[in-house]
Amino acid sequence: MSTITEDRSRQAESPFADPEFRETLRGLPPSAKLVAKVLDDTPPLSQGQLAEESLLPDRTVRYALTRLEEASLVDSRYSFRDARKQVYFLVV
């Protein structure tokens, strides 16, 4: 029973529940939508981790992240584990 409650509270926190977020995402390419969904499931992730999780090529992930950042749907920060890498997360 607690799993159902956790799932519901997680869905409420998801930016995908926001109609404005969904409308902005609707105009983006499929790769950006996939990357956004992966970030919704397991944030924050590096570009390499996103490529592994989404099964997209690195170049496609870079393009998707650029488009998501331009639309102000994704932001980044330096990783706490490795300051040379940036990790990406959805803007709620």
Side-chain angles (χ1 to χ4, degrees):
M1 179 148 169
S2 66
T3 356
I4 294 171
T5 307
E6 289 172 11
D7 287 344
R8 286 187 184 150
S9 67
R10 179 160 161 60
Q11 288 174 350
E13 295 172 6
S14 172
F16 281 88
D18 179 16
E20 187 177 330
F21 181 90
R22 292 177 65 87
E23 187 59 34
T24 305
L25 191 61
R26 190 178 314 270
L28 296 178
S31 60
K33 293 172 186 166
L34 177 59
V35 167
K37 187 60 182 161
V38 170
L39 284 173
D40 188 44
D41 291 341
T42 53
L45 294 172
S46 70
Q47 183 178 322
Q49 291 170 319
L50 279 167
E52 285 179 29
E53 292 293 320
S54 66
L55 303 176
L56 294 171
D58 288 337
R59 185 175 178 179
T60 305
V61 171
R62 266 193 313 274
Y63 174 73
L65 286 170
T66 300
R67 296 296 306 270
L68 288 165
E69 286 178 321
E70 288 171 352
S72 300
L73 298 179
V74 166
D75 204 359
S76 64
R77 64 169 168 75
Y78 287 102
S79 171
F80 295 127
R81 292 184 181 169
D82 186 349
R84 298 170 296 174
K85 294 183 180 181
Q86 286 190 316
V87 290
Y88 298 88
F89 53 92
L90 293 176
V91 177
V92 181

